Amino acid sequence: MKIAFSFGATVALLASMANAHTYLSKMVLDGQQTAEGQCIRPYPQNRNFPVKDVLSTDITCGVGGVSKTASETCPVEAGSTITVEWHHNDDSPSDDIIDGTHLGPCMVYMAPLESNGAGDVWFKIFEDGYDAASNTWCVDKIRSNGGKLDVPLPADIKSGDYLLRTEIIALHESDTDYAVNPARGSQFYVNCAQLSVKDGGDAVPEGYSIPGIYKSDSPGIIFNLYSSYTSYPIPGPPVYVSGSGSGSGGEDTDATSAEEPTTQAPPEDTTGAAEETTSASEETEDAPAQESSNVPKTDEVPAENTGDIESNYTDASTEPDAPEATETPESSPSSEDSPVYSTDGSAADASTDAPEEQPTSSAPVHTTTTTVAAPPGKCH
């Protein structure tokens, strides 16, 4: 259905989009509230503007984040739960945190401070995407909780100084690949804080490179928020789980990669040799021969290729104008607060006549169907 926006409707839409951005404002560490910006790397001029180029170094710690250091590094206990807090304009109680149309996941990573975030050093410690049971996104949850999100730190990582990287991905324009149209694409709200972890263990989780974990067309980076969906593939590596050991990460929640099928080995084929009776001793000679098929190996998902794309938002004081809307769904997502934080067929009988067991594969299935319709708005 084609529509023509009136001038008043266009102004209202742009005003709504102006209430979109967010930034990491403060934290609660070992029960102590930090001041705004304390132990957080200095903000750029437009501190609540997103990064859009996933190949830019700005995706590491935000615009200019790798070239600056925080004035202090805050101590925190390994295994404790910290609270990170986002805001739109400031940390006042009336602040709107982030616009309600900017639905998407939240993720938190850590890396040794001495690395300054360069190389295969980042490991994910937290992620929250879409909960089909309650029809809520992580953005809904932080909006309903004053911008706050609780994040447990691994208990077994080595003591020492770390970067803590917080990230929100807003998906309201993610139906378009940024590499194809830089005026649209997913929006990444990224900041880095500096923490000094004490009383840790000896674990060194497997690290990944940022930039490097995302492509502009990766599942979860490309996502149509206005279509029907029952799940969301959270991008990036799996979450590291304490006790899983160095270089591993518990349940693999990396939805950017295809899930590998589970294949069972076929049954053994054992053949008995015919009996031979000798005239002298009537001895019976068996000559069994066994053939076992090996379990076929599954290929790993190839590494993501990256290209060089200039960021549309790097050090920009303004964002590009919204594209002209000529076609829109029937309803728009509301910018009102979303629900309060909440928590999250039979197999066919096997044939007894089947000669062998066939390989099977499984994949998670969500049953709740959600439809969100809205004109993809431009963020200003």
Side-chain angles (χ1 to χ4, degrees), residues 29-30 39 72-77 194-198:
L29 308 172
D30 292 340
C39 297
E72 60 181 306
T73 301
C74 289
V76 66
E77 190 83 15
Q194 296 180 191
L195 303 180
S196 182
V197 175
K198 56 187 179 180

Side-chain angles (χ1 to χ4, degrees), residues 305-365:
N305 296 325
T306 58
D308 187 11
I309 308 172
E310 184 65 20
S311 173
N312 187 48
Y313 278 91
T314 304
D315 293 324
S317 60
T318 60
E319 301 179 42
D321 293 337
E324 180 180 354
T326 58
E327 187 167 329
T328 182
E330 294 181 356
S331 61
S332 303
S334 172
S335 61
E336 297 180 358
D337 288 353
S338 299
V340 176
Y341 199 123
S342 60
T343 56
D344 300 301
S346 65
D349 292 336
S351 173
T352 56
D353 297 330
E356 60 180 16
E357 185 174 353
Q358 297 298 321
T360 61
S361 61
S362 62
V365 176

Side-chain angles (χ1 to χ4, degrees), residues 165-240:
R165 176 183 181 272
T166 61
E167 177 178 50
I168 292 175
I169 305 179
L171 301 173
H172 57 292
E173 294 181 342
S174 66
D175 58 327
T176 303
D177 186 346
Y178 168 82
V180 175
N181 180 8
R184 294 179 65 77
S186 291
Q187 298 182 0
F188 300 80
Y189 296 93
V190 181
N191 292 98
C192 284
Q194 296 180 191
L195 303 180
S196 182
V197 175
K198 56 187 179 180
D199 299 330
D202 58 3
V204 180
E206 181 179 357
Y208 300 83
S209 179
I210 303 176
I213 58 173
Y214 304 141
K215 293 191 299 183
S216 64
D217 60 352
S218 295
I221 306 300
I222 289 289
F223 186 81
N224 189 349
L225 195 63
Y226 310 110
S227 66
S228 295
Y229 55 88
T230 58
S231 63
Y232 168 74
I234 300 177
V239 173
Y240 174 75

Side-chain angles (χ1 to χ4, degrees), residues 111-333:
L113 179 60
E114 63 183 3
S115 71
N116 198 32
D120 295 334
V121 295
W122 292 99
F123 55 97
K124 186 189 289 185
I125 65 169
F126 178 88
E127 65 181 20
D128 187 12
Y130 172 69
D131 180 15
S134 60
N135 188 26
T136 55
W137 290 83
C138 184
V139 165
D140 292 321
K141 297 171 185 177
I142 64 171
R143 277 175 49 82
S144 65
N145 196 35
K148 299 179 180 68
L149 182 69
D150 290 340
V151 178
L153 298 180
D156 60 351
I157 58 174
K158 284 187 174 182
S159 298
D161 295 340
Y162 288 87
L163 286 169
L164 181 85
R165 176 183 181 272
T166 61
E167 177 178 50
I168 292 175
I169 305 179
L171 301 173
H172 57 292
E173 294 181 342
S174 66
D175 58 327
T176 303
D177 186 346
Y178 168 82
V180 175
N181 180 8
R184 294 179 65 77
S186 291
Q187 298 182 0
F188 300 80
Y189 296 93
V190 181
N191 292 98
C192 284
Q194 296 180 191
L195 303 180
S196 182
V197 175
K198 56 187 179 180
D199 299 330
D202 58 3
V204 180
E206 181 179 357
Y208 300 83
S209 179
I210 303 176
I213 58 173
Y214 304 141
K215 293 191 299 183
S216 64
D217 60 352
S218 295
I221 306 300
I222 289 289
F223 186 81
N224 189 349
L225 195 63
Y226 310 110
S227 66
S228 295
Y229 55 88
T230 58
S231 63
Y232 168 74
I234 300 177
V239 173
Y240 174 75
V241 178
S242 291
S244 60
S246 174
S248 62
E251 180 181 358
D252 189 348
T253 56
D254 181 6
T256 304
S257 303
E259 184 173 335
E260 296 183 357
T262 300
T263 307
Q264 298 179 346
E268 294 183 350
D269 180 15
T270 304
T271 305
E275 296 183 352
E276 296 182 359
T277 304
T278 62
S279 58
S281 59
E282 296 185 350
E283 294 177 351
T284 301
E285 180 180 358
D286 291 332
Q290 289 188 346
E291 295 182 0
S292 274
S293 299
N294 293 327
V295 180
K297 298 182 179 179
T298 54
D299 294 333
E300 296 182 354
V301 177
E304 299 174 348
N305 296 325
T306 58
D308 187 11
I309 308 172
E310 184 65 20
S311 173
N312 187 48
Y313 278 91
T314 304
D315 293 324
S317 60
T318 60
E319 301 179 42
D321 293 337
E324 180 180 354
T326 58
E327 187 167 329
T328 182
E330 294 181 356
S331 61
S332 303

